[in-house]
Amino acid sequence: IIDGNNLLWALHQSLDEREITNEIELCQVLSQYFSQIGEPGQVVFDGSGPADKSPFDAIGHLEVFFAGFHHDSDSVIEEKIKVNTAPRRLTVVSSDRRLRKAASAREAKALKSEEFWEQVRRELVRKKPRRKEPDEKREGLTDGETDKWLEVFGIEEE
């Protein structure tokens, strides 16, 4: 569970992260990260978010929440920590002591935003090993396989 505003603030304080300026840009990068590591993620932002939330519909591997006007993201995250049925498998990302303390109380892992972002950057630049293409792709079909497919499609050789 990621404290979205806290992570955005940490990125804006960093001299080398100027490309990510808003919630949707952050979510796109996080989606790519969670897709690459094969895990689901959640991010919670303060407020109600942008009026047009349709860009968030295309975000995969990441649930995006806005706390609304009557709650703050910290309270929403604390509640998510409290009701989580497997807190030891949970990682909470925030530099806010209040949230890190709430995570520790449930024996969840807590990461500061800067530490998490370094993890994200390392993972996104790491190249996945390419799968070897099957030899058949370059060599083509055998004569027997070709004859069988011609027969299946009712094509006679000339």
Side-chain angles (χ1 to χ4, degrees), residues 58-117:
I59 302 291
H61 303 282
L62 182 70
E63 289 182 89
V64 181
F65 299 93
F66 291 95
F69 293 116
H70 304 293
H71 296 78
D72 63 349
S73 61
D74 291 359
S75 300
V76 172
I77 293 170
E78 279 182 317
E79 185 62 25
K80 286 180 169 293
I81 295 167
K82 191 162 97 177
V83 300
N84 191 285
T85 58
R88 289 183 180 170
R89 296 189 63 225
L90 186 64
T91 300
V92 177
V93 176
S94 180
S95 295
D96 186 314
R97 283 188 195 143
R98 170 181 160 191
L99 291 179
R100 291 196 336 257
K101 184 177 178 181
S104 294
R106 295 280 330 266
E107 297 183 34
K109 184 177 179 182
L111 278 177
K112 288 186 175 183
S113 293
E114 298 83 3
E115 294 171 40
F116 173 72
W117 190 250

Side-chain angles (χ1 to χ4, degrees), residues 124-149:
L124 293 179
V125 298
R126 188 170 68 89
K127 297 203 180 208
K128 296 283 184 191
R130 292 180 64 189
R131 281 194 246 156
K132 183 181 179 294
E133 292 179 338
D135 293 334
E136 294 82 5
K137 183 173 179 179
R138 299 282 179 223
E139 295 169 6
L141 299 174
T142 65
D143 289 338
E145 291 170 325
T146 302
D147 291 341
K148 183 66 178 169
W149 281 113

Side-chain angles (χ1 to χ4, degrees), residues 30-36 38-42 59-63:
L30 291 175
S31 172
Q32 184 181 356
Y33 168 76
F34 285 112
S35 171
Q36 199 158 312
E39 294 284 336
Q42 296 181 2
I59 302 291
H61 303 282
L62 182 70
E63 289 182 89

